[in-house]
Amino acid sequence: MTPPTQHGPVVARTPEELRAALADADGVGLVPTMGSLHSGHRSLMRLARGRAGTVVVSVFVNPLQFGPDEDFEHYPRDLGADTRVCAEEGVDVVFAPETQTMYPAPQMVTVDAGTMGERLEGASRPGHFTGVLTVVAKLFHLVRPDFAVFGEKDAQQIALVRRMVTDLNLPVEIVGAPLSRDPDGLASSSRNAYLSEQERTSALALSRALTAGREAAPGGAEDVRAASRKVLDEAAAADPPVRLDYLALVDPATFGEASADHRGEAVLAVAARVGGTRLIDNTAVPL
Ligand code: AMP
């Protein structure tokens, strides 16, 4: 275990080191991350810092939530840089276990994400949400937080985590943090580092499509879908093109498609590839 410096967090690499670091902690807030920390993660840490006695940030690239052809091997990792970000945000403990520590043997028992976990991101990335919920459940048991902060950037993920907490009676409060964007409108993401300048320009169509959809909300669900699809159709012809994975207007409780007469809040969610990079974004739409 790396001891705390005057300004830095304790870095715990094992459950034993974590328990020692949290021996006298109360009011624990957990921010689960995969590292490569950016301004979006910082906003979660600030939310946690504002309400927790002790803030724990976990940094773990979870192999269980990556498909065989995804970027697990290449996902950016820099614990030194991440620890410095955590120090700047007043984080008390960084929990950064090795893969072997979290999964000493192949995981046999997992948390099934149900039908909500098979839609949108789950349809594009089979098994993804089982991997997410399983590691989140493990982190909850290891850290035993009073609350945990998740970003609305991953709208389906936070909905499923909330559902897991309810369905499995987990003693933790889930706090949502608003989606944070870079100054040009692109949703902040560790994967944005993969984008070239031209790819980034094309990728701005995602947030533009969501804005167009939200502005069409007074006309109802079909107008929202049409307005956002128009922007993405144009972006499909851009150079480099935006290759749409899905665009969906869904009921936030189930992530099933919102009906034409849906009333109340819906979530407009998009996933697309630009070059080799897969990006997601979403916005709440009042209908
Ligand atoms: P990740 O490291 O990508 O697994 O993200 C860790 C946490 O940070 C998740 O709860 C994400 O939803 C959240 N997060 C990532 N990017 C953003 C963002 N741009 N705005 C808000 N939360 C975010």
Side-chain angles (χ1 to χ4, degrees), residues 31-35 38 40-41 43-44 65 75 149-154 157 177-181 187-190:
V31 181
T33 81
M34 297 203 300
H38 51 69
H41 296 116
S43 68
L44 272 60
Q65 70 189 68
Y75 198 85
V149 185
F150 290 83
E152 283 159 10
K153 156 99 189 315
D154 298 276
Q157 170 174 284
L179 192 156
S180 138
R181 297 184 179 279
S188 308
S189 166
S190 306

Short mmCIF file of all heavy atoms in Angstrom, two decimals, residues 31-35 38 40-41 43-44 65 75 149-154 157 177-181 187-190, ligand 1:
data_model
loop_
_atom_site.label_atom_id
_atom_site.label_comp_id
_atom_site.label_asym_id
_atom_site.label_seq_id
_atom_site.Cartn_x
_atom_site.Cartn_y
_atom_site.Cartn_z
N VAL A 31 -16.56 6.06 -6.12
CA VAL A 31 -16.68 6.43 -7.53
C VAL A 31 -15.97 5.34 -8.34
O VAL A 31 -14.74 5.33 -8.43
CB VAL A 31 -16.03 7.81 -7.82
CG1 VAL A 31 -16.20 8.16 -9.30
CG2 VAL A 31 -16.63 8.89 -6.93
N PRO A 32 -16.74 4.40 -8.94
CA PRO A 32 -16.09 3.36 -9.74
C PRO A 32 -15.69 3.90 -11.11
O PRO A 32 -16.50 4.55 -11.78
CB PRO A 32 -17.17 2.27 -9.89
CG PRO A 32 -18.26 2.65 -8.94
CD PRO A 32 -18.18 4.14 -8.78
N THR A 33 -14.44 3.63 -11.53
CA THR A 33 -13.97 4.07 -12.84
C THR A 33 -13.06 3.00 -13.45
O THR A 33 -12.62 2.09 -12.76
CB THR A 33 -13.15 5.38 -12.78
OG1 THR A 33 -11.79 5.06 -12.39
CG2 THR A 33 -13.73 6.39 -11.83
N MET A 34 -12.78 3.20 -14.74
CA MET A 34 -11.76 2.37 -15.40
C MET A 34 -10.49 3.18 -15.62
O MET A 34 -9.64 2.82 -16.43
CB MET A 34 -12.30 1.83 -16.72
CG MET A 34 -13.50 0.91 -16.53
SD MET A 34 -13.77 -0.23 -17.88
CE MET A 34 -14.01 0.90 -19.24
N GLY A 35 -10.34 4.30 -14.90
CA GLY A 35 -9.13 5.10 -15.02
C GLY A 35 -9.13 5.96 -16.26
O GLY A 35 -10.18 6.21 -16.86
N HIS A 38 -10.74 11.87 -16.65
CA HIS A 38 -10.91 13.14 -17.35
C HIS A 38 -11.91 14.01 -16.59
O HIS A 38 -12.32 13.65 -15.48
CB HIS A 38 -11.37 12.88 -18.79
CG HIS A 38 -12.56 11.96 -18.89
ND1 HIS A 38 -13.82 12.32 -18.48
CD2 HIS A 38 -12.66 10.68 -19.34
CE1 HIS A 38 -14.66 11.34 -18.68
NE2 HIS A 38 -13.99 10.31 -19.19
N GLY A 40 -15.02 14.52 -16.89
CA GLY A 40 -16.27 13.85 -16.50
C GLY A 40 -16.11 13.11 -15.19
O GLY A 40 -16.94 13.20 -14.28
N HIS A 41 -15.00 12.36 -15.06
CA HIS A 41 -14.74 11.66 -13.80
C HIS A 41 -14.55 12.65 -12.65
O HIS A 41 -15.00 12.41 -11.52
CB HIS A 41 -13.47 10.81 -13.92
CG HIS A 41 -13.54 9.70 -14.92
ND1 HIS A 41 -12.73 9.68 -16.04
CD2 HIS A 41 -14.29 8.58 -14.99
CE1 HIS A 41 -12.97 8.58 -16.74
NE2 HIS A 41 -13.92 7.91 -16.14
N SER A 43 -16.00 15.42 -12.20
CA SER A 43 -17.29 15.93 -11.71
C SER A 43 -17.93 14.91 -10.76
O SER A 43 -18.58 15.29 -9.78
CB SER A 43 -18.22 16.27 -12.88
OG SER A 43 -18.62 15.11 -13.57
N LEU A 44 -17.72 13.62 -11.02
CA LEU A 44 -18.24 12.59 -10.09
C LEU A 44 -17.51 12.67 -8.75
O LEU A 44 -18.12 12.56 -7.68
CB LEU A 44 -18.05 11.19 -10.69
CG LEU A 44 -19.15 10.64 -11.60
CD1 LEU A 44 -19.39 11.49 -12.82
CD2 LEU A 44 -18.85 9.20 -12.00
N GLN A 65 -16.35 -6.97 -18.82
CA GLN A 65 -17.34 -6.17 -19.55
C GLN A 65 -16.90 -5.85 -20.98
O GLN A 65 -17.58 -5.12 -21.68
CB GLN A 65 -17.68 -4.89 -18.78
CG GLN A 65 -16.57 -3.86 -18.73
CD GLN A 65 -16.91 -2.73 -17.78
OE1 GLN A 65 -16.95 -2.93 -16.56
NE2 GLN A 65 -17.16 -1.55 -18.30
N TYR A 75 -7.01 -0.36 -23.96
CA TYR A 75 -7.65 0.69 -23.17
C TYR A 75 -6.55 1.47 -22.42
O TYR A 75 -5.65 0.87 -21.83
CB TYR A 75 -8.65 0.07 -22.19
CG TYR A 75 -9.65 1.09 -21.66
CD1 TYR A 75 -10.80 1.39 -22.37
CD2 TYR A 75 -9.39 1.77 -20.47
CE1 TYR A 75 -11.69 2.34 -21.91
CE2 TYR A 75 -10.28 2.73 -20.00
CZ TYR A 75 -11.43 2.99 -20.73
OH TYR A 75 -12.31 3.94 -20.27
N VAL A 149 -21.32 6.90 -6.79
CA VAL A 149 -21.67 7.88 -7.82
C VAL A 149 -21.41 7.28 -9.21
O VAL A 149 -20.32 6.76 -9.47
CB VAL A 149 -20.84 9.18 -7.66
CG1 VAL A 149 -21.30 10.22 -8.67
CG2 VAL A 149 -20.94 9.72 -6.24
N PHE A 150 -22.41 7.39 -10.06
CA PHE A 150 -22.30 6.94 -11.45
C PHE A 150 -22.73 8.08 -12.36
O PHE A 150 -23.59 8.89 -12.00
CB PHE A 150 -23.21 5.73 -11.71
CG PHE A 150 -22.73 4.47 -11.01
CD1 PHE A 150 -23.05 4.24 -9.68
CD2 PHE A 150 -21.97 3.53 -11.68
CE1 PHE A 150 -22.60 3.10 -9.02
CE2 PHE A 150 -21.51 2.39 -11.04
CZ PHE A 150 -21.83 2.16 -9.71
N GLY A 151 -22.15 8.12 -13.58
CA GLY A 151 -22.45 9.21 -14.50
C GLY A 151 -23.62 8.90 -15.41
O GLY A 151 -23.79 7.77 -15.86
N GLU A 152 -24.39 9.93 -15.70
CA GLU A 152 -25.51 9.77 -16.65
C GLU A 152 -25.01 9.67 -18.08
O GLU A 152 -25.80 9.43 -18.99
CB GLU A 152 -26.52 10.90 -16.45
CG GLU A 152 -27.36 10.65 -15.20
CD GLU A 152 -28.02 11.89 -14.61
OE1 GLU A 152 -28.00 12.94 -15.27
OE2 GLU A 152 -28.54 11.77 -13.48
N LYS A 153 -23.71 9.82 -18.31
CA LYS A 153 -23.13 9.52 -19.63
C LYS A 153 -23.49 8.10 -20.03
O LYS A 153 -23.77 7.82 -21.19
CB LYS A 153 -21.62 9.69 -19.56
CG LYS A 153 -20.83 8.91 -20.58
CD LYS A 153 -20.44 9.78 -21.74
CE LYS A 153 -19.83 9.06 -22.91
NZ LYS A 153 -18.85 8.07 -22.64
N ASP A 154 -23.45 7.19 -19.05
CA ASP A 154 -23.78 5.78 -19.29
C ASP A 154 -25.18 5.55 -18.72
O ASP A 154 -25.34 4.94 -17.66
CB ASP A 154 -22.74 4.88 -18.65
CG ASP A 154 -21.36 5.10 -19.25
OD1 ASP A 154 -21.07 4.50 -20.29
OD2 ASP A 154 -20.60 5.92 -18.70
N GLN A 157 -26.36 2.05 -18.03
CA GLN A 157 -25.58 1.46 -16.93
C GLN A 157 -26.11 1.90 -15.58
O GLN A 157 -26.34 1.07 -14.69
CB GLN A 157 -24.11 1.87 -17.08
CG GLN A 157 -23.24 1.54 -15.88
CD GLN A 157 -21.78 1.84 -16.16
OE1 GLN A 157 -21.13 1.09 -16.87
NE2 GLN A 157 -21.26 2.93 -15.64
N ALA A 177 -24.67 11.51 -11.56
CA ALA A 177 -23.97 12.76 -11.88
C ALA A 177 -24.29 13.14 -13.32
O ALA A 177 -24.26 12.29 -14.21
CB ALA A 177 -22.46 12.57 -11.73
N PRO A 178 -24.60 14.42 -13.56
CA PRO A 178 -24.95 14.85 -14.92
C PRO A 178 -23.83 14.56 -15.92
O PRO A 178 -22.66 14.55 -15.56
CB PRO A 178 -25.16 16.36 -14.79
CG PRO A 178 -25.29 16.63 -13.34
CD PRO A 178 -24.61 15.53 -12.61
N LEU A 179 -24.24 14.32 -17.16
CA LEU A 179 -23.26 14.08 -18.24
C LEU A 179 -22.41 15.33 -18.45
O LEU A 179 -22.94 16.43 -18.56
CB LEU A 179 -24.01 13.72 -19.52
CG LEU A 179 -23.21 13.16 -20.68
CD1 LEU A 179 -24.11 12.34 -21.59
CD2 LEU A 179 -22.53 14.24 -21.49
N SER A 180 -21.11 15.14 -18.48
CA SER A 180 -20.24 16.29 -18.67
C SER A 180 -19.63 16.27 -20.08
O SER A 180 -19.27 15.22 -20.59
CB SER A 180 -19.19 16.26 -17.55
OG SER A 180 -17.94 16.57 -17.99
N ARG A 181 -19.61 17.46 -20.72
CA ARG A 181 -19.16 17.56 -22.11
C ARG A 181 -17.88 18.38 -22.22
O ARG A 181 -17.65 19.28 -21.40
CB ARG A 181 -20.26 18.24 -22.97
CG ARG A 181 -21.52 17.44 -23.02
CD ARG A 181 -22.58 18.05 -23.94
NE ARG A 181 -23.74 17.17 -23.90
CZ ARG A 181 -23.85 16.04 -24.61
NH1 ARG A 181 -22.89 15.71 -25.44
NH2 ARG A 181 -24.90 15.27 -24.49
N ALA A 187 -19.31 14.47 -25.68
CA ALA A 187 -19.37 13.92 -24.32
C ALA A 187 -17.97 13.49 -23.90
O ALA A 187 -17.29 12.76 -24.64
CB ALA A 187 -20.33 12.73 -24.29
N SER A 188 -17.51 13.94 -22.73
CA SER A 188 -16.16 13.58 -22.27
C SER A 188 -16.07 12.07 -22.12
O SER A 188 -16.98 11.44 -21.59
CB SER A 188 -15.86 14.24 -20.92
OG SER A 188 -16.10 15.62 -20.98
N SER A 189 -14.97 11.50 -22.60
CA SER A 189 -14.80 10.04 -22.54
C SER A 189 -13.33 9.70 -22.65
O SER A 189 -12.58 10.39 -23.35
CB SER A 189 -15.56 9.38 -23.70
OG SER A 189 -15.16 8.04 -23.85
N SER A 190 -12.92 8.64 -21.96
CA SER A 190 -11.53 8.18 -22.08
C SER A 190 -11.24 7.81 -23.52
O SER A 190 -10.10 7.94 -23.98
CB SER A 190 -11.32 6.96 -21.18
OG SER A 190 -11.71 7.25 -19.86
P1 AMP B 1 -15.57 4.78 -17.06
O1 AMP B 1 -14.20 5.05 -16.52
O2 AMP B 1 -15.75 5.18 -18.48
O3 AMP B 1 -16.05 3.39 -16.73
O4 AMP B 1 -16.55 5.75 -16.26
C1 AMP B 1 -16.58 5.75 -14.86
C2 AMP B 1 -17.76 6.56 -14.40
O5 AMP B 1 -17.62 7.89 -14.88
C3 AMP B 1 -19.10 6.03 -14.92
O6 AMP B 1 -20.08 6.16 -13.90
C4 AMP B 1 -19.39 6.93 -16.09
O7 AMP B 1 -20.77 7.08 -16.36
C5 AMP B 1 -18.80 8.25 -15.57
N1 AMP B 1 -18.48 9.13 -16.67
C6 AMP B 1 -17.62 8.89 -17.70
N2 AMP B 1 -17.66 9.92 -18.58
C7 AMP B 1 -18.57 10.81 -18.10
C8 AMP B 1 -19.07 12.06 -18.54
N3 AMP B 1 -18.66 12.61 -19.67
N4 AMP B 1 -20.01 12.68 -17.77
C9 AMP B 1 -20.46 12.12 -16.63
N5 AMP B 1 -20.03 10.95 -16.15
C10 AMP B 1 -19.09 10.30 -16.87
#
